[in-house]
Every structure is written in structure tokens, then in C-alpha cells.
């Protein structure tokens, strides 16, 4: 039996029996883009000639700007390809990410504006209030964010011992830049939530510097993380530059993780995902 057949048999067995997940770097960029489009059917309608197409027939958005970037440059001005370049590892287990492994922290601001609104006023027009443990939270209804957050709430309210972690909140909608950066926070789009700061650990508060961060101390139960992830939110505690109170709606990254077989519990994801084979 040839080596290639051996590998095929291994992947087949992994997919059927769950013993070893498919390697994350086997996913092509084209497949990732397909999953991105499927995650936002309200706004995205397809891709063509290296660009994302929109249902409002607005100008297509290039997937790849053609610029080589280091990690800091991706964070500051990432394109769609950059935002999909690291595989997020979901699951009810903690992870210890390698240096600069920040899946989801890299974003395409141009895409976020097309998904949620290009100004504070535009985003505010789509905000709704949801009940959250005796509070009213302003979140966007676009892309199903409000519904997804209500599902998280409904799961977690059955465990009253978790309420102390869930309220009071540090915030949801706030049109602002990421701390110490020039790009907009996902809070600007009403698609992120920060839980109780009393239990939070944040790399800047801990005295970290970019690329040189103290080991984090997570106090949030993984039950909470798991509920958010199963409903389309990623957790800032998965990042090397961690923010353990932070969750943001990024269903495309959870869909890509499922397709890639990435798991926080199996620790089978790479620190960087290579997409060169799919380009």
C-alpha cells in the first residue's frame, strides 16, 4: 500500500471513528471562504474572481490584498485571508496557545463594516435590547447575533452557580478602537460581550507586551466558554494575547474548526495554518 493510500485511510478512519481529526492545514483558502459565506447568508452571496460578493450588490471585497504581513500588521490591517489564517480550537477544555496564536483576533475591518455597519449610527440602527441576567444589553440583530446570545443565556441560566461570572457585565456595544491599536473593536459592531471583570485576566492588565505575554490565569468555567462556542462565539481566552472576559460572534471560525477537526481537548491544531496549498 502506497504512503498516499495509507494517509487516506488514516484520514477516513479519523473522520469515521473520531480517533484523530483531519489536519487543520488541509483546509484550502477556497473552502474557508465557502464556510465564511455560509456563516453570513444575510449579507454574503458568493465569491468571484478573488472577491466576496454581497447581496446588496455593493462593491466586491477582495479576499487577499496581496500584501505579506507579520502578525502585528495582520492585526492592524488584516484582509479576509488574514482573518482566516489561524484555526480556532473550540471545546470544553483550556488551551495554552503558542506565541502570537490569536485565532479570531485578526479581523478584516472592511468586512466587519459590511456585515454590521460602517459607522456608529449605522450600527446603532440595528441594535436591539436583550435580557441578560437582570440587565438589558444592546446588541446587533444583524447576522443573528442577538438570537445567538439569547441561546447562550438560555443555556447558562439553568446553572445559577454561574451567574456571578455572567453579571455585572463590562459591556457590549461601544464604538471604539482596540486598546492601544488603530483598528476597531468588535464591540463597535454590537457583536461582542465582555463578562464580569472581577474574574477577568487581560494580557495588557497583566503587564504583557506584544509577543511577550505573561501566562494567563483563567477563572471562567469552561461550561461558559463551551456554551458561547456552540452558539457561534469565540473566546478571547484562546488567544496568546488573552482577554478571558471577551466573547465575539465569529461563526465562520467555528465552522472552519469543525471542518478542520480542530479541538481544544485534543490539542491537534497548529499554531499557524498554512493555506498555500489551496491558493
Amino acid at each position: 500500500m502506497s504512503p498516499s493510500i495509507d494517509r487516506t485511510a488514516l484520514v477516513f478512519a479519523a473522520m469515521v471513528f473520531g480517533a484523530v481529526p483531519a489536519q487543520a492545514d488541509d483546509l484550502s483558502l477556497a473552502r474557508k471562504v465557502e464556510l465564511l459565506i455560509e456563516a453570513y447568508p444575510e449579507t454574503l452571496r458568493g465569491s468571484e474572481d478573488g472577491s466576496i460578493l454581497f447581496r446588496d450588490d455593493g462593491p466586491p471585497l477582495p479576499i487577499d490584498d496581496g500584501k505579506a504581513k507579520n502578525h502585528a500588521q495582520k492585526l492592524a490591517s488584516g484582509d479576509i485571508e488574514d482573518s482566516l489564517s489561524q484555526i480556532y480550537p473550540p471545546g470544553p477544555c483550556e488551551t495554552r496557545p503558542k506565541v502570537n496564536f490569536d485565532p479570531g483576533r485578526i479581523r478584516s475591518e472592511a468586512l466587519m463594516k459590511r456585515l454590521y455597519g460602517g459607522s456608529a449610527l449605522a450600527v446603532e440602527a440595528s441594535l436591539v435590547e436583550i435580557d441578560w441576567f437582570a440587565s438589558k444589553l444592546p446588541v446587533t440583530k444583524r447576522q443573528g447575533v442577538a438570537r445567538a446570545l439569547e441561546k447562550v443565556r438560555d443555556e447558562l441560566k439553568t446553572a445559577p452557580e454561574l451567574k456571578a461570572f455572567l453579571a455585572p457585565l463590562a459591556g457590549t456595544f461601544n464604538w471604539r478602537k482596540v486598546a492601544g491599536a488603530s483598528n476597531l473593536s468588535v464591540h463597535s459592531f454590537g457583536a461582542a460581550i465582555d463578562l464580569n471583570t472581577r474574574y477577568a485576566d487581560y494580557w495588557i492588565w497583566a503587564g504583557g507586551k506584544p509577543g511577550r505575554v505573561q501566562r494567563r490565569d483563567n477563572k471562567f468555567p469552561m461550561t461558559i466558554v463551551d456554551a458561547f462556542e456552540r452558539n457561534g462565539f469565540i473566546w478571547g481566552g484562546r488567544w496568546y494575547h488573552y482577554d478571558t472576559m471577551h466573547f465575539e460572534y465569529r461563526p465562520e471560525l467555528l465552522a472552519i474548526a469543525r471542518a478542520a477537526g480542530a479541538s481544544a481537548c485534543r490539542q491537534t491544531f497548529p499554531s499557524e495554518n498554512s493555506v498555500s496549498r489551496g491558493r
Side-chain angles (χ1 to χ4, degrees), residues 71 75 99-100 102 105 203 208-214 240-241:
H71 189 66
L75 291 171
V99 175
N100 289 341
D102 292 325
R105 190 167 172 254
W203 69 279
K209 304 295 181 183
R212 192 171 70 254
V213 169
Q214 304 271 0
Y240 174 74
H241 297 89

Side-chain angles (χ1 to χ4, degrees), residues 18 30 34 39 59 159 174 202 206 222 224 240 253 275:
E34 287 178 358
N174 184 4
Y202 180 38
M222 295 308 295
I224 292 175
Y240 174 74
L253 296 185
V275 296

Side-chain angles (χ1 to χ4, degrees), residues 12-190:
F12 177 79
M15 295 176 67
V16 172
F17 300 107
V20 180
Q23 288 298 308
D25 59 0
D26 283 346
L27 273 191
S28 68
L29 176 59
R31 179 58 181 144
K32 291 179 182 179
V33 170
E34 287 178 358
L35 293 168
L36 169 72
I37 293 165
E38 291 171 6
Y40 300 104
E42 173 186 321
T43 300
L44 309 184
R45 68 176 178 86
S47 63
E48 185 176 81
D49 298 329
S51 294
I52 295 290
L53 305 178
F54 295 85
R55 293 193 181 278
D56 65 2
D57 292 325
L61 182 63
I63 295 166
D64 182 2
D65 61 14
K67 300 176 182 177
K69 306 183 189 80
N70 60 29
H71 189 66
Q73 291 166 335
K74 287 181 180 181
L75 291 171
S77 58
D79 57 23
I80 292 172
E81 180 193 20
D82 297 328
S83 75
L84 306 178
S85 64
Q86 294 181 329
I87 299 288
Y88 181 89
C93 301
E94 293 203 42
T95 49
R96 296 296 180 190
K98 296 180 180 179
V99 175
N100 289 341
F101 183 67
D102 292 325
R105 190 167 172 254
I106 299 169
R107 312 172 186 99
S108 166
E109 187 171 302
L111 177 60
M112 297 297 282
K113 286 181 174 179
R114 300 288 290 273
L115 292 174
Y116 297 108
S119 68
L121 286 176
V123 175
E124 286 172 350
S126 295
L127 294 180
V128 295
E129 284 192 339
I130 68 167
D131 294 321
W132 183 269
F133 300 94
S135 297
K136 295 287 187 180
L137 300 189
V139 295
T140 184
K141 64 182 179 181
R142 297 200 63 181
Q143 316 307 334
V145 174
R147 290 195 308 272
L149 195 54
E150 288 173 330
K151 289 180 181 179
V152 175
R153 176 204 63 202
D154 291 345
E155 286 190 33
L156 295 178
K157 72 181 181 182
T158 63
E161 70 276 10
L162 299 178
K163 184 177 179 181
F165 299 96
L166 302 167
L169 288 178
T172 51
F173 170 69
N174 184 4
W175 185 270
R176 63 170 177 80
K177 294 179 179 179
V178 174
S182 59
N183 54 309
L184 287 171
S185 164
V186 179
H187 287 282
S188 299
F189 304 107

